[in-house]
Amino acid sequence: MVRIKFIKENKEVEAALGSNLRFKAQENNIDIYTFVGKLTQCGGYGQCGTCVVDIIEGVENLSPRTAVEEKKLRKRPSSCRLACQTVVQGPISVETKPDKKASLKKAKAEAAQAKAATTTPEASEPASAAAE
Ligand code: FES
C-alpha cells in the first residue's frame, strides 16, 4: 500500500501499488475536474486532457509520462500529469486543478533552466587556459 496526499483537499488516502490516480481520486471523492472538465471529460481515456494534476512530491514514484501526456501537457511543467494515465508506484503528494498561469510560469522556468544547463559556460574557463 502507498500513501497519496491530496494537498488542496487536505486528505490522505491509501492505495495499492499500481493504482490509477484518477480512479483513486474519484473513489475517495476527490474532485479533479474544473467546471469545464466536468462537462467535457472523456472518462479516463486520455483524450480530453482535463484531468491535469500537479505532483508536488514523489514524481519519481509514478509511471513514466505516456505519449498522450507528452502531447497534452507540452505547455505544462514535467511535474504535471494526466491523472487517468498515471499509475501510482510509491507515495506522492498531489495538487488537483493546478492553476494554468502558474503552471505555464513553472514550465518556462524549467525550460530556461534546461537551456542554461546545456549551454557551455565560456566565461567560467580558467584564466590559465586562456593564457596558453
Ligand atoms: S479524463 Fe480525459 S484525459 Fe484524463
Side-chain angles (χ1 to χ4, degrees):
M1 297 295 268
V2 295
R3 175 192 55 82
I4 303 173
K5 182 177 183 180
F6 293 94
I7 294 170
K8 283 183 180 171
E9 296 79 6
N10 195 25
K11 190 171 184 178
E12 281 194 33
V13 302
E14 293 277 320
L17 273 180
S19 296
N20 176 278
L21 183 55
R22 176 182 178 270
F23 180 77
K24 287 311 292 183
Q26 290 188 322
E27 189 180 69
N28 290 283
N29 298 318
I30 303 292
D31 185 12
I32 60 170
Y33 296 106
T34 60
F35 177 72
V36 174
K38 285 180 183 74
L39 300 174
T40 60
Q41 59 113 342
C42 68
Y45 291 100
Q47 300 298 306
C48 65
T50 60
C51 61
V52 178
V53 293
D54 198 355
I55 308 301
I56 306 303
E57 287 176 26
V59 74
E60 68 280 2
N61 294 331
L62 300 172
S63 56
R65 265 186 174 192
T66 63
V68 167
E69 287 180 284
E70 291 299 340
K71 186 177 175 189
K72 297 276 184 195
L73 302 173
R74 63 183 177 274
K75 292 183 181 173
R76 300 270 191 162
S78 59
S79 59
C80 281
R81 299 295 305 265
L82 293 179
C84 71
Q85 302 295 299
T86 304
V87 175
V88 181
Q89 298 166 333
I92 57 170
S93 295
V94 182
E95 181 185 340
T96 55
K97 297 179 252 183
D99 180 56
K100 261 187 180 178
K101 284 182 184 171
S103 264
L104 189 61
K105 212 173 184 180
K106 199 171 164 184
K108 280 182 180 175
E110 208 174 67
Q113 204 171 27
K115 190 177 177 183
T118 56
T119 55
T120 312
E122 291 174 24
S124 64
E125 278 185 32
S128 61
E132 291 176 19

